[in-house]
Amino acid sequence: MNPDLIILAGTVHTLDGEPGSLAPQAVAVRGGRISALGTRQDAQSWGPAEIVDFGDAVLTPGLVDCHVHPVMGLDMTRGCDLSGITDLAAVRAILRAEAEATPAGEWVRGWGLDPNAFGSVPVHRELMDDVVAGRPALIRLFDAHSALASTAALELAGITGPRHFDQAAEVVCDGKGTPTGLLLEAAALDLVLKHMPQETFQERKRRLGGLFESYSRAGLTGIHVMDCGEGTLELLAALEQDLAGTGRGLPLRVRVSPWCMPGSDEAEWQRLAAQVATARGARWEVAGIKLFVDGTVDNGTAWLFEPDSHGQSIVPFWPSPEEYNRAIRFFAGRGIPTATHAIGDAGVAAVLAAFEGLPADLPRAPHRIEHIETVPDELIERFARSGLIASMQPSHCTHYSRADQTDNWSTRLGKQRADRGWRSADLRSAGVTLALGSDWPVAPFEPLPILADAQLRRRSGHPEEQPISPAQALSARQALEGYTSHAAKAAGEWAASGSITVGKRADFTVFDVDPLCAAPDDLAAARVLATMLEGQFRHLAVGVAG
């Protein structure tokens, strides 16, 4: 049968994993699926069809960000953007301007605060109270696991001293038991967040739609959402319904993994499992469960074998690790994919041990560890034997640590553990499937700079910077695989996506440079000419195709 569409390009990278396979320049699409591959000459015999010719451009499988927080990010990114600001005076100046521009009676907000801006000075509300003129304010730190609340915000929330939580969360207090304003992990943040005014549902939906369009223009055809906060599923359903009238639907595929938190019981696990079986739309679905075994190195809530330089990061997120193991047995035993946040060496070891202890005859499902920031050789070897998938974010390394190890992350860990940071190349060499992503809003979501950073081990566009552990750099192909073929395997979707193969979905990204040949800094600055979902354009640069 004749195809609906024929796409021509100077280079087509199939990423099908077949060594020595031919490099096609023509792809036929019928019914949203790839129906044929071949040369431009072959395409002449495929019958009448719409033809889109991208000239010398490069076509790849559609890019997928394997770790992102779009709905949570809507709330986190309200207010002034402090991302990348590492000077305390500059932070205070931006906050003062934000306070002056914020109407009286409203909260002052900011996000992306880097603890490196404070140097050796403790993070404390006194450093912001004066610049926000005594008003309620909440400034989210870049790691998404912590925030700094002003004195007025603490008073509104009734926070006057330490609090106890069912997880590794903390209202940080000084030696006299007085809150400093620093709140660690979700349970502590929620004490303040519930007192803050919220956007309307319609405004959140509008902003989410705009964010999804931005993702698409950046080259993404899919995202793995690693949270499911209040209203997430309702927003996705309503947005999809609105777009259904256009005949186009959501501009990308959305896989959601709700959180399973400490203190939950089997009744809650049953509810989450039911969502996996039933909550879905045409291009979104609840597709797995997200768990945590630790927090972050930067705020002292990671789980390490030995304390950090502050004597912190030695407490697991689940007060009883056996309860985490029981949750894993519950979900894995039902064939439900899991993704576990594990940053520190002890945290990663605990996840590996939980899966090593599972029966061998459980239903097959992809299970992942997210972040994996510092691990010794022995855990790399265990990882390879486990069959677990690694999910990492190259820009966490390049944006928030430094080659000279003077950054907060490195100084907390010390040289030995910092030298074991973000071992992406070692995991790939060991045969581990490695999915890549951004963790937006922790770091920017644009995938081309992330692909470049994965190869450079420094920020793209900053050749003056020294690479961080350059032996852990990925090759250009490995980086692209992290957003395509390995992303599909991490989702258990290799049979349907992740490569340009006959029978798979026609999801494509088109570049104006070759991501496998371009210098990484050039790739970071390149253009995404088009994104296609099921053979339909979701983004097309003006005047590109003919």
Side-chain angles (χ1 to χ4, degrees), residues 425-486:
D426 286 344
L427 285 164
R428 278 299 308 258
S429 295
V432 174
T433 296
L434 177 60
L436 299 180
S438 66
D439 201 12
W440 186 87
V442 172
F445 62 75
E446 287 80 7
L448 272 61
I450 296 173
L451 293 172
D453 284 20
Q455 301 171 60
L456 294 167
R457 298 288 289 197
R458 62 162 171 80
R459 290 185 299 166
S460 55
H462 291 268
E464 76 282 0
E465 295 182 353
Q466 293 298 309
I468 300 156
S469 301
Q472 295 303 324
L474 295 178
S475 70
R477 177 170 288 276
Q478 287 172 334
L480 184 58
E481 287 171 344
Y483 266 84
T484 54
S485 56
H486 284 223

Side-chain angles (χ1 to χ4, degrees), residues 27-94:
V27 182
V29 177
R30 181 171 179 81
R33 299 272 172 171
I34 300 166
S35 60
L37 300 173
T39 65
R40 287 174 178 262
Q41 185 174 1
D42 293 333
Q44 297 176 14
S45 65
W46 289 344
E50 178 186 358
I51 297 176
V52 176
D53 191 344
F54 285 104
D56 293 333
V58 179
L59 183 78
T60 74
L63 303 182
V64 175
D65 188 320
C66 291
H67 192 122
V68 70
H69 299 277
V71 177
M72 188 171 79
L74 295 179
D75 300 323
M76 283 186 57
T77 57
R78 294 175 68 186
C80 58
D81 183 359
L82 299 168
S83 303
I85 309 298
T86 56
D87 176 76
L88 185 55
V91 168
R92 285 171 51 81
I94 294 170

Side-chain angles (χ1 to χ4, degrees), residues 35-319:
S35 60
L37 300 173
T39 65
R40 287 174 178 262
Q41 185 174 1
D42 293 333
Q44 297 176 14
S45 65
W46 289 344
E50 178 186 358
I51 297 176
V52 176
D53 191 344
F54 285 104
D56 293 333
V58 179
L59 183 78
T60 74
L63 303 182
V64 175
D65 188 320
C66 291
H67 192 122
V68 70
H69 299 277
V71 177
M72 188 171 79
L74 295 179
D75 300 323
M76 283 186 57
T77 57
R78 294 175 68 186
C80 58
D81 183 359
L82 299 168
S83 303
I85 309 298
T86 56
D87 176 76
L88 185 55
V91 168
R92 285 171 51 81
I94 294 170
L95 285 175
R96 180 177 287 108
E98 180 69 15
E100 292 172 350
T102 302
E106 294 187 12
W107 284 60
V108 179
R109 304 169 186 257
W111 63 282
L113 178 60
D114 188 335
N116 287 303
F118 292 85
S120 59
V121 179
V123 179
H124 198 287
R125 56 189 161 81
E126 292 176 349
L127 298 171
M128 64 182 285
D129 275 345
D130 61 333
V131 298
V132 300
R135 298 166 62 181
L138 187 71
I139 312 304
R140 302 295 293 257
L141 273 68
F142 83 89
D143 63 7
H145 287 247
S146 52
L148 182 61
S150 69
T151 297
L154 294 177
E155 290 173 350
L156 282 172
I159 300 173
T160 58
R163 296 289 185 93
H164 172 74
F165 303 98
D166 289 332
Q167 53 188 258
E170 182 181 0
V171 172
V172 177
C173 296
D174 61 20
K176 297 179 180 179
T178 303
T180 66
L182 183 59
L183 307 172
L184 305 181
E185 302 301 335
L189 268 66
D190 286 344
L191 298 175
V192 172
L193 291 174
K194 66 183 180 182
H195 293 276
M196 300 177 68
Q198 301 298 313
E199 288 182 305
T200 67
F201 183 86
Q202 291 300 322
E203 177 61 16
R204 296 180 82 207
K205 183 177 66 171
R206 183 193 66 78
R207 291 180 63 210
L208 183 63
L211 180 62
F212 281 180
E213 290 295 339
S214 296
Y215 287 166
S216 180
R217 289 193 297 271
L220 294 172
T221 60
I223 53 174
H224 297 177
V225 179
M226 288 294 148
D227 68 89
C228 186
E230 183 177 356
T232 294
L233 302 185
E234 293 81 3
L235 283 168
L236 290 171
L239 182 60
E240 185 166 69
Q241 183 175 12
D242 287 353
L243 294 172
T246 69
R248 290 162 61 80
L250 293 177
L252 70 172
R253 303 183 193 283
V254 181
R255 296 174 57 87
V256 180
S257 293
W259 289 356
C260 175
M261 301 293 276
S264 59
D265 56 18
E266 192 159 323
E268 171 65 5
W269 302 347
Q270 292 281 8
R271 186 190 70 81
L272 292 171
Q275 280 190 327
V276 176
T278 62
R280 58 175 46 87
R283 285 184 181 153
W284 67 269
E285 62 177 332
V286 174
I289 301 297
K290 169 78 177 294
L291 305 98
F292 298 76
V293 295
D294 66 358
T296 69
V297 170
D298 280 285
N299 68 26
T301 57
W303 188 9
L304 302 170
F305 287 127
E306 300 293 336
D308 67 12
S309 62
H310 295 213
Q312 298 176 326
S313 282
I314 54 173
V315 178
F317 193 71
W318 291 65

